[in-house]
Amino acid sequence: MNFFQAIFLGLVQALTEYLPVSSSAHIRIIGDLMIGSDPGAAFTAIIQIGTELAVILYYRRDIIRILGSWFGSLFGKEGKDWRSRLGAKNPDTQMGWFIIIGTMPILVAGLLFKDVIETTLRNLWITVTVLAVFGVLLWIFDARSKQVKTMNQMTVKDALLFGVGQMLALIPGVSRSGGTITFGRAMGYTREDAVRVSFLMAIPAVFGAGILEAVSAVKDVSACEATKAADACAAIGGAAWPGWGPTIAATIVAFFVGYIVIIGFLKFVSMFSYKAFAVYRIGLAVVVAVLLIAGVLPAIDPSMAG
């Protein structure tokens, strides 16, 4: 992967991260078409830091308010009893706890199944399947579910279900926003609030994963350059790894373009349904299936096949 290819993938990340179409699937598919290889989970996770920083910037006031209330209530500002500390008197404190609860499923699954996520689940036939399945589910739930619930009506059960939707996004093709939005619409949340929950709940999970992958990549890059060890080089994407310069540049592009996409996406969902995204997912699944059958795309990246 050269500098300009890395930048292009950063642009793809920004354009698809917030939409319910799976940014990881697009990076995987376009990476194969453009460079003949999976860009790798490390590169994908690191450039996601850029799009998550855009979310943090856009929702900075909400984040500061939630964090302030959460810490204040935790240390007894709202009352010394445990109910007050858990946010019984402050919706912002409750939201802080709900975000933590919603992060647990993806955190546990990510740690337990890290190797499977970075290898087996990156099979494009799996991607094709979940692209289509979740496209259909998004279409059905968005069309049939009422828009009656807001963030202020969230419960522990709802937060956990949002978290399960986010957890399923560990499978490339599900889409983190697609999973959480689909679950949110199935529970009757408005389109705007389902998106807002999706964005806020993603911050600790995606940003944390990106930081961990960056730390891991530093170690693997050092090991790869020093020893040319196959395991270390494969861990950072093998020949696809563009180096830190292009990766950081791609992350910066993802940040700036991502911020613009957030604004546009929120305006879109306030006026239209998710039908267009559902149709796009199904159409993309069909196209990729045809490319797989024709042999244009390999189902499994050759560097991971052995």
Side-chain angles (χ1 to χ4, degrees), residues 6-302:
I7 292 295
F8 183 75
L9 288 177
L11 180 62
V12 172
Q13 165 66 23
L15 293 174
T16 58
E17 169 65 18
Y18 314 111
L19 311 183
V21 297
S22 181
S23 61
S24 59
H26 281 76
I27 296 295
R28 170 76 170 87
I29 294 164
I30 293 175
D32 255 319
L33 290 173
M34 187 168 62
I35 63 177
S37 175
D38 183 350
F43 175 81
T44 303
I46 292 169
I47 63 175
Q48 283 179 335
I49 293 176
T51 45
E52 286 313 302
L53 285 174
V55 172
I56 292 173
L57 178 62
Y58 187 86
Y59 285 108
R60 61 191 181 279
R61 293 185 179 85
D62 289 343
I63 294 169
I64 292 171
R65 191 181 67 251
I66 291 171
L67 284 175
S69 297
W70 188 84
F71 279 108
S73 297
L74 188 64
F75 290 104
K77 184 178 179 180
E78 302 290 338
K80 301 299 183 181
D81 60 292
W82 69 271
R83 291 183 182 275
S84 297
R85 293 179 190 272
L86 292 178
K89 301 176 181 179
N90 194 321
D92 287 328
T93 301
Q94 288 185 343
M95 182 52 59
W97 284 113
F98 290 153
I99 290 173
I100 292 172
I101 292 169
T103 303
M104 288 299 104
I106 194 172
L107 176 63
V108 173
L111 292 173
L112 290 178
F113 304 106
K114 184 177 186 295
D115 291 340
V116 176
I117 293 165
E118 295 182 352
T119 54
T120 305
L121 292 183
R122 296 185 78 81
N123 185 309
L124 279 181
W125 278 116
I126 296 176
T127 301
V128 164
T129 301
V130 296
L131 270 172
V133 169
F134 272 82
V136 172
L137 291 176
L138 177 61
W139 192 339
I140 292 173
F141 287 129
D142 188 47
R144 297 185 178 182
S145 299
K146 297 180 179 179
Q147 297 193 71
V148 294
K149 298 180 72 172
T150 66
M151 284 179 60
N152 293 333
Q153 297 170 290
M154 191 182 297
T155 64
V156 172
K157 178 183 176 181
D158 291 354
L160 188 58
L161 287 173
F162 270 117
V164 172
Q166 181 170 244
M167 177 194 71
L168 292 175
L170 291 171
I171 307 171
V174 171
S175 168
R176 184 202 50 74
S177 61
T180 51
I181 289 171
T182 299
F183 274 60
R185 289 295 295 119
M187 290 185 284
Y189 280 82
T190 66
R191 294 187 179 107
E192 296 91 332
D193 278 67
V195 169
R196 192 178 175 201
V197 171
S198 174
F199 284 178
L200 291 174
M201 200 166 280
I203 293 172
V206 179
F207 194 73
I211 295 297
L212 289 175
E213 285 288 358
V215 172
S216 177
V218 169
K219 297 178 182 178
D220 290 329
V221 168
S222 299
C224 177
E225 292 178 346
T227 66
K228 300 300 180 182
D231 290 345
C233 295
I236 58 172
W241 175 253
W244 281 109
T247 300
I248 292 172
T251 304
I252 293 172
V253 169
F255 168 75
F256 284 107
V257 178
Y259 189 84
I260 297 172
V261 173
I262 291 173
I263 298 172
F265 182 45
L266 290 173
K267 289 183 178 179
F268 181 91
V269 298
S270 67
M271 297 183 291
F272 304 103
S273 73
Y274 291 110
K275 180 179 178 179
F277 300 111
V279 172
Y280 175 82
R281 289 179 64 100
I282 296 169
L284 179 62
V286 172
V287 171
V288 176
V290 171
L291 293 176
L292 286 168
I293 294 171
V296 176
L297 284 174
I300 302 174
D301 185 69

